[in-house]
Amino acid sequence: MRRSFDGLLALVREFLGEQDDPLAGHLFVFRNKSGDRIEILWWDRDGLAIFYKRLEEGGFAFPTPPADAKQIELTAADLQLVLQGIDPAKVHRSQRYSRPALSG
């Protein structure tokens, strides 16, 4: 958790390769090993912003990634839950509309 703007951006660029533009407005969330600190890197149209949060007790509960995954993708709602101390995996979600597959 010692990296600043350029260090975090370099990590993101290395991980994404040519797949995606790190300056497209996505949030990139980094968590330390003990899970009590996070840094969020965000490009805000005219510059990078870093948000940092350290918990005095407990840790951030992220969804468990698959065994071979190096990353997970969170929705904005799931990130909000994580920041509020709620484990997204334990949240009951109501059934929502799902568009049927097109038959061809």
Side-chain angles (χ1 to χ4, degrees):
M1 306 301 307
R2 296 180 192 151
R3 296 178 193 248
S4 63
F5 297 98
D6 295 328
L8 292 174
L9 186 59
L11 281 176
V12 169
R13 283 192 167 136
E14 179 184 321
F15 181 78
L16 292 176
E18 300 297 320
Q19 295 177 17
D20 203 356
D21 179 11
L23 306 182
H26 302 290
L27 299 175
F28 298 94
V29 181
F30 301 87
R31 184 183 79 162
N32 68 341
K33 288 181 184 180
S34 62
D36 66 341
R37 298 169 193 213
I38 61 168
E39 280 182 292
I40 300 174
L41 180 68
W42 172 50
W43 175 258
D44 180 24
R45 291 182 280 184
D46 61 355
L48 287 168
I50 293 178
F51 300 94
Y52 185 87
K53 185 167 184 177
R54 179 189 75 193
L55 297 177
E56 297 301 321
E57 291 183 21
F60 293 101
F62 282 85
T64 305
D68 59 340
K70 292 183 179 179
Q71 69 177 13
I72 58 172
E73 186 173 323
L74 295 174
T75 64
D78 284 344
L79 178 58
Q80 203 170 35
L81 292 173
V82 167
L83 292 173
Q84 292 176 15
I86 301 168
D87 185 349
K90 295 181 180 178
V91 172
H92 172 73
R93 297 176 190 271
S94 300
Q95 185 175 353
R96 305 290 284 200
Y97 171 77
S98 178
R99 189 173 178 174
L102 297 174
S103 59

